[in-house]
Amino acid sequence: MYKNKSILAIVPARGGSKGIKKKNLKKINKISLIGHVGLTLKKISFIDNKVLSTDNIDIKKEGIKFDIDVPFIRPKKISGDRVGDIDVLHHALQQSEKYYKKKFDYVMMLQPTSPLRDYKQINNMIKKIVDNKYDSIWSISKIDLKYHPYKQLLIKNDKLNYYDQKNGSKIIARQQLSESYIRNGICYIFARNLIKLKKIINKNSSYEIVEGNYINIDNLDDIIKAKELMKL
């Protein structure tokens, strides 16, 4: 709890990953991705309760091993690879409030696939969203201007074109581009009312810029890279 606002941490971890089988159980420095999230959660004193949303028994056991509650099993209908985060969060919030018999003010999402996170950054995000009464806050990272959307391209029917056909052709120098950012998956925090509306961003959403290394694990090469980065 922070300033009398209760916070529920949700760790989404389904078992049916297509890129890597049971990806969330893969180990980095002898600790599973679920384990890394659990260890981070232990350092965040503002969190009231922490739950794992999974459809897989092995992942459930791993979550319990690292002191993450698993009071429900995620239904199959919201466990597919095309199910959005908001449906998972909405279900987890409903089930958690029934289980703990209380309403939470804020919901935090920590994805196991982003193991490079500093609990101090998350504490800053909690303070920022509560102090400023934002509806949501995302951790983001600045991307190199050479990857700016206006410089990206699309291929369709064996033909090449600008991703943004209106503005792409007008860009000559980097100085014409404004900074752009990407979500890094380290942390998201949402006000309860936003989750109930089944939204994760609106006009009252803010951000926390994370500098330095980050990674979202989708394939085996990402696991190798994560192991290297976590040695630094």
Side-chain angles (χ1 to χ4, degrees), residues 86 89-90 135-136 138 190-202:
I86 187 58
L89 294 172
H90 188 267
D135 288 332
S136 69
W138 297 21
F190 312 97
R192 181 182 185 276
N193 68 295
L194 200 63
I195 297 297
K196 285 297 182 179
L197 291 171
K198 287 201 168 186
K199 294 182 179 181
I200 57 175
I201 191 170
N202 66 6

Side-chain angles (χ1 to χ4, degrees), residues 97-178:
E97 290 187 337
K98 288 180 183 178
Y99 180 76
Y100 295 113
K101 297 180 180 178
K102 65 179 179 180
K103 290 185 178 181
F104 294 93
D105 296 299
Y106 292 92
V107 174
M108 174 188 298
M109 179 171 70
L110 296 181
Q111 298 167 311
T113 48
S114 298
L116 291 174
R117 51 171 57 96
D118 185 342
Y119 76 96
K120 295 177 183 178
Q121 296 168 340
I122 299 172
N123 281 337
N124 289 338
M125 292 176 68
I126 293 172
K127 293 176 181 178
K128 185 174 181 178
I129 191 171
V130 174
D131 292 346
N132 296 281
K133 298 180 180 179
Y134 290 125
D135 288 332
S136 69
I137 183 169
W138 297 21
S139 63
I140 61 174
S141 295
K142 185 187 297 185
I143 62 173
D144 193 301
L145 286 177
K146 64 186 175 183
Y147 301 120
H148 192 281
Y150 289 173
K151 295 180 73 67
Q152 294 180 28
L153 304 168
L154 288 179
I155 296 175
K156 185 176 181 180
N157 297 326
D158 204 35
K159 299 294 193 308
L160 185 68
N161 208 333
Y162 295 104
Y163 177 81
D164 187 314
Q165 296 182 30
K166 179 180 179 181
N167 297 295
S169 62
K170 301 175 184 177
I171 302 303
I172 299 174
R174 289 166 62 93
Q175 290 75 12
Q176 294 174 265
L177 300 170
S178 58

